[in-house]
Amino acid sequence: MVNVLVGNKNTTELDILCQNLANDKNYRVDNVATGKDIVDMYLKTNPDILVLDNSLPDMTIEDIISRLSSNPLERKKCNTILTLPLNYNIKMRRYGKVNEVIYKPFIDNELSDVIKELAIDYNTPDLEVGEVDWLLQSLNFNCLSGGYKYI
Protein backbone atom coordinates (compact mmCIF):
# COMPACT_ATOMS: atom_id res chain seq x y z
CA MET A 1 0.00 0.00 0.00
CA VAL A 2 1.23 3.47 -0.89
CA ASN A 3 0.73 6.09 1.82
CA VAL A 4 0.10 9.58 0.50
CA LEU A 5 0.12 12.63 2.75
CA VAL A 6 -1.56 15.71 1.28
CA GLY A 7 -1.13 19.21 2.65
CA ASN A 8 -3.91 21.22 1.08
CA LYS A 9 -6.72 23.30 2.51
CA ASN A 10 -8.52 23.57 -0.85
CA THR A 11 -11.29 21.01 -0.49
CA THR A 12 -12.22 21.01 -4.19
CA GLU A 13 -8.73 19.94 -5.30
CA LEU A 14 -8.55 17.43 -2.48
CA ASP A 15 -11.95 15.95 -3.36
CA ILE A 16 -10.86 15.45 -6.98
CA LEU A 17 -7.65 13.73 -5.88
CA CYS A 18 -9.40 11.47 -3.38
CA GLN A 19 -12.07 10.60 -5.92
CA ASN A 20 -9.43 9.62 -8.48
CA LEU A 21 -7.57 7.40 -6.00
CA ALA A 22 -10.63 6.08 -4.11
CA ASN A 23 -11.22 3.12 -6.39
CA ASP A 24 -7.63 1.94 -6.06
CA LYS A 25 -7.07 -0.04 -2.86
CA ASN A 26 -3.30 0.41 -3.16
CA TYR A 27 -3.48 3.97 -1.79
CA ARG A 28 -4.15 5.43 1.61
CA VAL A 29 -4.57 9.21 1.53
CA ASP A 30 -4.29 11.41 4.64
CA ASN A 31 -4.94 15.13 4.48
CA VAL A 32 -3.93 17.96 6.77
CA ALA A 33 -4.56 21.66 6.36
CA THR A 34 -1.62 23.34 8.14
CA GLY A 35 2.14 23.27 7.75
CA LYS A 36 2.68 22.31 11.38
CA ASP A 37 0.34 19.35 10.96
CA ILE A 38 2.17 18.30 7.78
CA VAL A 39 5.52 18.19 9.59
CA ASP A 40 4.04 16.36 12.60
CA MET A 41 2.14 13.83 10.48
CA TYR A 42 5.08 13.26 8.14
CA LEU A 43 7.44 12.50 11.01
CA LYS A 44 4.84 10.26 12.66
CA THR A 45 3.70 8.26 9.60
CA ASN A 46 6.67 8.51 7.18
CA PRO A 47 4.49 8.59 4.02
CA ASP A 48 5.72 7.32 0.68
CA ILE A 49 4.53 10.42 -1.18
CA LEU A 50 4.02 13.98 0.05
CA VAL A 51 1.80 16.40 -1.88
CA LEU A 52 2.24 20.02 -0.82
CA ASP A 53 0.09 22.95 -1.88
CA ASN A 54 1.02 26.59 -1.38
CA SER A 55 -2.35 27.29 0.30
CA LEU A 56 -1.25 26.25 3.80
CA PRO A 57 -1.88 29.14 6.18
CA ASP A 58 0.93 28.90 8.73
CA MET A 59 4.07 27.86 6.81
CA THR A 60 5.47 28.21 3.32
CA ILE A 61 6.30 25.10 1.33
CA GLU A 62 9.96 26.13 1.51
CA ASP A 63 9.80 26.06 5.33
CA ILE A 64 8.12 22.66 5.34
CA ILE A 65 10.63 21.13 2.93
CA SER A 66 13.55 22.65 4.86
CA ARG A 67 12.28 21.20 8.13
CA LEU A 68 11.74 17.77 6.64
CA SER A 69 15.11 17.88 4.87
CA SER A 70 17.01 18.56 8.09
CA ASN A 71 17.20 14.77 8.50
CA PRO A 72 19.94 13.51 6.10
CA LEU A 73 17.92 10.40 5.19
CA GLU A 74 14.86 12.46 4.34
CA ARG A 75 16.93 14.90 2.30
CA LYS A 76 17.74 12.09 -0.14
CA LYS A 77 14.13 10.92 -0.40
CA CYS A 78 12.74 12.52 -3.57
CA ASN A 79 9.06 11.94 -2.80
CA THR A 80 7.44 15.37 -2.85
CA ILE A 81 4.98 16.77 -5.39
CA LEU A 82 4.26 20.51 -5.28
CA THR A 83 1.01 22.03 -6.54
CA LEU A 84 1.56 25.71 -7.27
CA PRO A 85 0.00 28.62 -9.12
CA LEU A 86 1.81 29.66 -12.30
CA ASN A 87 3.17 32.84 -10.73
CA TYR A 88 4.78 31.06 -7.73
CA ASN A 89 8.56 31.39 -7.79
CA ILE A 90 10.56 28.57 -6.20
CA LYS A 91 14.22 27.70 -6.67
CA MET A 92 13.94 24.00 -7.41
CA ARG A 93 17.65 23.22 -7.29
CA ARG A 94 17.68 23.91 -3.57
CA TYR A 95 15.19 21.16 -2.81
CA GLY A 96 16.26 17.60 -3.58
CA LYS A 97 13.06 16.24 -2.02
CA VAL A 98 10.92 17.68 -4.81
CA ASN A 99 10.17 15.16 -7.52
CA GLU A 100 7.55 17.05 -9.50
CA VAL A 101 5.85 20.45 -9.71
CA ILE A 102 2.31 20.70 -11.07
CA TYR A 103 0.93 24.11 -11.87
CA LYS A 104 -2.68 25.09 -11.32
CA PRO A 105 -5.23 24.72 -12.67
CA PHE A 106 -4.75 20.96 -13.01
CA ILE A 107 -5.71 19.10 -16.14
CA ASP A 108 -8.28 16.43 -15.16
CA ASN A 109 -6.32 13.57 -13.57
CA GLU A 110 -2.90 15.22 -13.77
CA LEU A 111 -2.13 15.09 -10.05
CA SER A 112 -3.39 11.54 -9.53
CA ASP A 113 -1.43 10.39 -12.62
CA VAL A 114 1.79 11.86 -11.21
CA ILE A 115 1.10 10.20 -7.84
CA LYS A 116 0.52 6.84 -9.55
CA GLU A 117 3.73 7.20 -11.54
CA LEU A 118 5.76 8.07 -8.44
CA ALA A 119 4.03 5.29 -6.47
CA ILE A 120 5.57 2.62 -8.69
CA ASP A 121 8.74 3.01 -6.61
CA TYR A 122 6.83 2.31 -3.39
CA ASN A 123 4.15 -0.17 -4.38
CA THR A 124 5.44 -3.68 -3.75
CA PRO A 125 3.18 -6.56 -4.67
CA ASP A 126 2.33 -9.24 -2.12
CA LEU A 127 4.63 -12.14 -2.89
CA GLU A 128 4.73 -15.71 -1.65
CA VAL A 129 7.90 -16.92 0.12
CA GLY A 130 9.21 -18.73 -3.00
CA GLU A 131 8.59 -15.67 -5.14
CA VAL A 132 10.48 -13.44 -2.71
CA ASP A 133 13.46 -15.85 -2.75
CA TRP A 134 13.43 -15.93 -6.56
CA LEU A 135 13.22 -12.12 -6.73
CA LEU A 136 16.11 -11.65 -4.28
CA GLN A 137 18.26 -14.17 -6.15
CA SER A 138 17.54 -12.50 -9.50
CA LEU A 139 18.36 -9.07 -8.05
CA ASN A 140 21.59 -10.43 -6.59
CA PHE A 141 22.47 -12.01 -9.94
CA ASN A 142 21.75 -8.80 -11.78
CA CYS A 143 23.73 -6.63 -9.36
CA LEU A 144 26.77 -8.91 -9.44
CA SER A 145 26.80 -9.80 -13.11
CA GLY A 146 25.54 -6.67 -14.81
CA GLY A 147 22.75 -8.82 -16.25
CA TYR A 148 20.01 -6.30 -15.54
CA LYS A 149 18.57 -6.64 -19.03
CA TYR A 150 17.62 -10.27 -18.36
CA ILE A 151 14.98 -9.58 -15.67
Side-chain angles (χ1 to χ4, degrees):
M1 176 168 296
V2 178
N3 295 312
V4 180
L5 177 59
V6 180
N8 191 337
K9 70 175 192 169
N10 184 327
T11 56
T12 305
E13 290 173 3
L14 185 62
D15 288 345
I16 292 169
L17 172 63
C18 290
Q19 189 175 29
N20 289 336
L21 295 178
N23 295 331
D24 195 331
K25 294 178 180 154
N26 292 321
Y27 295 92
R28 190 183 101 225
V29 179
D30 292 316
N31 180 57
V32 294
T34 69
K36 180 185 180 312
D37 290 342
I38 278 274
V39 173
D40 291 344
M41 182 80 110
Y42 190 96
L43 296 174
K44 191 183 313 179
T45 63
N46 193 23
D48 300 313
I49 299 172
L50 173 64
V51 179
L52 279 179
D53 188 76
N54 72 313
S55 66
L56 301 174
D58 59 337
M59 292 173 72
T60 65
I61 56 174
E62 290 90 344
D63 290 338
I64 295 168
I65 293 171
S66 293
R67 286 190 187 192
L68 295 177
S69 298
S70 62
N71 177 337
L73 294 175
E74 284 300 322
R75 193 175 309 128
K76 294 178 183 178
K77 197 173 177 184
C78 185
N79 67 336
T80 304
I81 300 168
L82 303 180
T83 58
L84 305 172
L86 281 173
N87 62 351
Y88 197 94
N89 186 14
I90 184 170
K91 294 181 175 141
M92 294 301 297
R93 283 180 240 128
R94 288 186 57 205
Y95 303 106
K97 275 187 81 55
V98 178
N99 184 288
E100 187 85 30
V101 176
I102 301 174
Y103 292 99
K104 300 177 193 179
F106 304 137
I107 301 168
D108 293 332
N109 299 334
E110 186 177 9
L111 179 56
S112 56
D113 290 346
V114 170
I115 289 173
K116 288 177 181 179
E117 186 178 313
L118 185 56
I120 292 170
D121 296 336
Y122 298 100
N123 195 7
T124 329
D126 294 330
L127 300 175
E128 299 294 323
V129 173
E131 293 172 317
V132 171
D133 289 342
W134 176 84
L135 179 63
L136 292 174
Q137 287 173 357
S138 68
L139 290 174
N140 188 39
F141 164 76
N142 285 297
C143 290
L144 296 176
S145 68
Y148 60 89
K149 60 189 170 205
Y150 299 111
I151 286 187

